[in-house]
Amino acid sequence: MNHQEHYDRAAEVKRFEDSKLGVKGLVDSGLDSIPRFFIHSQDTLSDLRPGRPGPDLIPTIDLSGVDSDRRPDIVEQISLACRELGFYRIVNHGVPVEILDRTIGAVKAFHEQPMEEKARVYRREMETGVSFFSNVDLFQSKAASWR
């Protein structure tokens, strides 16, 4: 038997999920190698899009006029960005910079908490209020996302 035959991806993914560490928790734990279920096989690598898009390739969507006759165009821009890239930048959304800064600060503070604190809200069920988990498609994907 070779090494491939001994690998139990489902068991490794379950151990990761049960640990409630998430990717950052793995890194913070002193991990010295990337777990195998995060590594794409050669046959799936060819299906991936190369590299990271530059700032000029990330769509910027202007929400000014979203309550006007521009709405269908804005909706189509968002739809296209979601289908083709998976994310986009929004401008003229009306959210004050102070609120954005406080939100980013709160997210960073949450992720810097001890693992025991974050584990209290680690769950896949999103209808229970706050949830924190790693890889929305962890049990279905060919390789987990290192994010």
Side-chain angles (χ1 to χ4, degrees):
M1 279 195 200
N2 65 30
H3 182 66
Q4 181 73 20
E5 293 176 50
H6 293 292
Y7 179 64
D8 185 348
R9 182 185 188 284
E12 188 176 16
V13 167
K14 183 170 181 355
R15 276 192 304 278
F16 170 72
E17 177 72 6
D18 290 347
S19 76
K20 300 182 178 186
L21 287 173
V23 172
K24 185 175 184 317
L26 281 178
V27 172
D28 291 348
S29 73
L31 185 72
D32 62 1
S33 65
I34 297 173
R36 189 168 169 183
F37 67 94
F38 284 103
I39 300 171
H40 285 272
S41 65
Q42 288 297 328
D43 58 323
T44 62
L45 284 174
S46 61
D47 296 337
L48 298 177
R49 293 183 185 172
R52 185 177 239 175
D56 56 326
L57 297 179
I58 298 173
T60 297
I61 300 170
D62 186 347
L63 288 188
S64 60
V66 73
D67 292 324
S68 72
D69 61 344
R70 287 196 58 236
R71 185 180 192 86
D73 181 51
I74 293 170
V75 169
E76 179 54 31
Q77 288 176 42
I78 293 170
S79 175
L80 182 67
C82 289
R83 284 191 315 268
E84 293 191 355
L85 191 60
F87 59 95
Y88 48 88
R89 178 177 176 243
I90 296 288
V91 295
N92 297 319
H93 44 67
V95 180
V97 172
E98 300 79 34
I99 292 176
L100 294 173
D101 289 344
R102 286 198 331 249
T103 301
I104 291 169
V107 169
K108 285 180 179 178
F110 171 79
H111 287 286
E112 291 302 322
Q113 290 184 97
M115 203 51 238
E116 300 76 31
E117 290 297 314
K118 293 186 287 188
R120 291 185 5 217
V121 293
Y122 192 102
R123 67 181 61 85
R124 292 203 169 268
E125 305 81 34
M126 292 188 223
E127 60 276 346
T128 59
V130 175
S131 62
F132 161 67
F133 58 89
S134 182
N135 288 270
V136 72
D137 62 349
L138 179 64
F139 294 98
Q140 294 81 32
S141 66
K142 293 181 181 178
S145 295
W146 187 259
R147 57 182 164 174

